Amino acid sequence: MKAIKITVNGRTHEAGIDSRRTLLDFIRDTLNLTGTKKGCDHGQCGACTVIVNGRRINSCLSLALSHDGDEVTTVEGLAEGDELHPLQRAFIDHDAFQCGFCTPGQLCSAAALLGEFREGLPSAVSGSHTPFVEEIRERMSGNLCRCGAYNHIVDAIAAVAGEKR
Amino acid sequence: MKPFDYHRLASEEALGKMEAGRYLAGGTNLIDLMKHQIETPDALVDVTRAGMDTITETDGGLMVGSQVTNTDLASHPAVRRDYPVLSSALLSGATQQLRNKATTGGNFLQRTRCQYFYDTTRACNKRAPGSGCDALEGLNRYHAILGASEHCIAVHPSDMAVAMAALDAVVHTRKRDGETRAIPATELHRLPGDRPDIDHVLEDGELITSVELPVRPPRLQAYRKVRDRASYAFAVVSAAVALDVDDGRMRNVRIALGGVAHKPWRASRAEEMLEGQQPSAELFDRAMDAEMAEAKGQGHNDFKIRLAPRTVVAVLRDLTEVTENDE
């Protein structure tokens, strides 16, 4: 067991954990924050996406011990009290999910994406002639949706990102 | 995962005093391999917080810490300006989530995605030396056409390393006894031969500390990746090309191929044929035909023998603005 201190959604947690525990299992099983989902557990589906120090990562491919001192935001941390995050509102307005299993990962990914736009980080398709929806599709390629709600997910993100860009 | 000890490296200099263990960087490949129990280290040494995460502009070149993330490297203004082939290669790989975690050093050292390497019920000389290679008679659409052996036909999966090879980047390492060395990126990985279990030339305990990008890279650069879907897929074939054109003649021609071999494949023979010549579609074709002379398909991947040179030729035509059509 090793001791770590991680801040999740503004609250600091100290815990002794097995070295094998991933950040995902730490969030779900140690902290009981089950919004973050375990889909493939191999970094392929994006359901486990959380935001660490402002950057989105696959929490399933990261050891909790590697995040000592880090600040993590999960889907539970997006809303402010009862006030939904604009992306959450947009996902509802655009009917951007069916079963909802991938949604927490989609939301965290999209929330970090807004920050990447603000920072001016490039993507593989960035260019003056790239349609905005193509930018979003490329940047969201790490989040799979087996219900196939992609079109509405892209619409929802575009609606929010368009205003903020 | 099997139980392991976890240690954290505080600085490069502390390496000698550190417990021995497998180095952990972003972990996007290693943690996955540990879940599959393909990698079963007794101890991990986390090297992400040892001060190796900065990019420094040197006298015309760039020194990239081995723990700089793929995102930070691809986004750095000097990389986008002077080494666009590298930025482009990085951005073409994986997803934003993975690039945010994956590091420069780790990207070089990621292991093959051959499905027989991953499937522990199948024969694989890379995973279990001496067990055989199920890819030879199996599904080998993604496998090597150059430099393979009867023991292994796996390919190196990196996009970044292909661009690094084309740029003649230099990998700097440090051993546990403090000795440092500089390894050309083109010589970091090895061909499988009869030891496909060994991916690279690093010694046990040798750590990549930084990667040096050369002064005055060729001005014309491009990376093209051919894959089965538009995003988040490994290359079927990729090409990193860098060259100058001065007074109508090609100079400093560098071509590296991805998805075709156990390492990024520098097309030295083609480079020699193009160097100093005037660009032309006919010459491009001839140079790449020469480069592919020994290419050998395994059945499903035979198409790569034509796809690889065509990809390079298309990039060369774009960069040199050769529009003539010889078909």
Side-chain angles (χ1 to χ4, degrees):
Chain A
M1 302 287 272
K2 295 226 176 201
I4 53 161
K5 188 157 104 176
I6 300 184
T7 302
V8 180
N9 302 329
R11 206 175 137 198
T12 302
H13 302 267
E14 292 186 52
I17 55 164
D18 188 300
S19 57
R20 290 169 291 181
R21 183 144 282 207
T22 60
L23 179 61
L24 172 61
D25 290 341
F26 176 78
I27 290 167
R28 286 183 55 85
D29 300 340
T30 306
L31 303 184
N32 289 317
L33 289 170
T34 54
T36 306
K37 296 293 184 269
K38 182 183 281 194
C40 69
D41 207 24
H42 291 286
Q44 297 178 4
C45 75
C48 69
T49 302
V50 298
I51 304 169
V52 177
N53 302 335
R55 293 275 168 94
R56 49 177 156 154
I57 67 165
N58 301 109
S59 61
C60 73
L61 287 185
S62 207
L63 297 177
L65 286 175
S66 294
H67 293 284
D68 192 23
D70 284 351
E71 296 203 9
V72 180
T73 301
T74 69
V75 69
E76 290 93 340
L78 292 180
E80 290 190 28
D82 291 335
E83 185 72 27
L84 291 181
H85 187 284
L87 282 164
Q88 291 173 312
R89 191 74 254 161
F91 267 57
I92 295 168
D93 292 345
H94 288 85
D95 193 17
F97 49 88
Q98 288 183 36
C99 84
F101 191 85
C102 73
T103 311
Q106 302 276 3
L107 286 166
C108 283
S109 207
L113 183 156
L114 298 179
E116 290 152 17
F117 276 144
R118 281 195 294 272
E119 270 187 79
L121 297 186
S123 83
V125 300
S126 293
S128 53
H129 302 297
T130 305
F132 192 34
V133 293
E134 289 309 311
E135 272 282 356
I136 293 173
R137 284 182 180 278
E138 163 60 25
R139 290 170 188 264
M140 291 296 292
S141 71
N143 291 85
L144 304 187
C145 168
R146 297 324 297 157
C147 301
Y150 294 111
N151 290 340
H152 290 187
I153 291 169
V154 171
D155 288 348
I157 296 170
V160 178
E163 292 166 17
K164 296 203 167 179
R165 221 146 76 106
Chain B
M1 281 185 261
K2 296 213 164 149
F4 56 86
D5 289 330
Y6 173 91
H7 309 288
R8 193 176 290 140
L9 183 68
S11 71
E12 249 182 76
E13 293 70 30
L15 200 58
K17 290 174 294 203
M18 203 66 210
E19 289 87 347
R22 190 90 156 74
Y23 294 130
L24 171 68
T28 54
N29 187 213
L30 180 57
I31 301 295
D32 192 32
L33 292 168
M34 287 168 68
K35 288 183 179 185
H36 286 288
Q37 298 196 6
I38 293 164
E39 299 264 12
T40 54
D42 293 326
L44 290 181
V45 175
D46 186 335
V47 299
T48 56
R49 301 188 191 196
M52 302 182 291
D53 57 352
T54 55
I55 300 175
T56 315
E57 298 200 37
T58 58
D59 202 12
L62 217 54
M63 193 64 91
V64 181
S66 72
Q67 298 309 298
V68 169
T69 66
N70 288 178
T71 294
D72 286 346
L73 185 56
S75 310
H76 194 278
V79 175
R80 293 173 73 181
R81 183 187 65 228
D82 298 332
Y83 310 94
V85 65
L86 177 60
S87 181
S88 174
L90 282 160
L91 291 172
S92 78
T95 66
Q96 189 69 46
Q97 287 99 313
L98 292 165
R99 291 190 296 271
N100 284 346
K101 200 77 179 25
T103 67
T104 310
N107 192 315
F108 271 117
L109 300 186
Q110 66 178 305
R111 309 212 63 191
T112 186
R113 297 313 197 280
C114 172
Q115 66 269 38
Y116 301 102
F117 174 73
Y118 262 83
D119 184 344
T120 52
T121 66
R122 305 298 296 264
C124 171
N125 288 321
K126 183 180 282 297
R127 173 172 36 75
S131 64
C133 171
D134 274 352
L136 286 169
E137 301 295 322
L139 299 169
N140 49 41
R141 172 177 158 74
Y142 291 97
H143 291 73
I145 53 169
L146 291 165
S149 75
E150 59 185 316
H151 304 287
C152 181
I153 57 171
V155 297
H156 195 269
S158 174
D159 293 295
M160 181 202 80
V162 179
M164 291 286 197
L167 287 170
D168 277 330
V170 177
V171 176
H172 292 270
T173 70
R174 187 184 184 105
K175 297 178 192 174
R176 289 173 60 82
D177 62 6
E179 188 190 333
T180 60
R181 65 169 170 158
I183 306 167
T186 50
E187 292 169 27
L188 178 64
H189 301 97
R190 48 188 296 290
L191 291 175
D194 58 4
R195 289 301 303 274
D197 54 314
I198 306 173
D199 291 349
H200 52 72
V201 301
L202 299 185
E203 293 171 17
D204 193 29
E206 187 172 5
L207 175 69
I208 298 179
T209 52
S210 61
V211 178
E212 186 179 357
L213 299 178
V215 177
R216 282 186 296 282
R219 285 190 312 278
L220 303 175
Q221 300 176 21
Y223 187 74
R224 183 170 295 185
K225 181 172 178 176
V226 182
R227 45 182 158 175
D228 288 337
R229 59 184 182 198
S231 184
Y232 197 17
F234 288 99
V236 172
V237 160
S238 71
V241 180
L243 79 164
D244 290 310
V245 177
D246 291 325
D247 295 330
R249 297 195 176 265
M250 296 180 283
R251 309 282 180 196
N252 308 315
V253 182
R254 290 143 186 201
I255 302 166
L257 286 160
V260 298
H262 199 253
K263 60 184 287 187
W265 187 268
R266 263 296 278 271
S268 312
R269 200 180 292 168
E271 290 174 8
E272 273 173 38
M273 289 177 67
L274 299 177
E275 188 70 33
Q277 304 299 311
Q278 295 177 344
S280 82
E282 184 275 328
L283 176 60
F284 295 157
D285 286 341
R286 201 149 40 84
M288 284 311 295
D289 283 349
E291 186 63 44
M292 304 303 290
E294 281 95 43
K296 181 175 174 292
Q298 305 291 340
H300 299 124
N301 66 350
D302 292 350
F303 69 98
K304 287 190 183 183
I305 297 171
R306 296 179 75 193
L307 180 62
R310 284 178 170 183
T311 304
V312 172
V313 169
V315 176
L316 283 167
R317 282 182 169 212
D318 278 355
L319 288 176
T320 60
E321 297 174 358
V322 167
T323 50
E324 62 187 280
N325 193 340
D326 59 344
E327 287 169 22

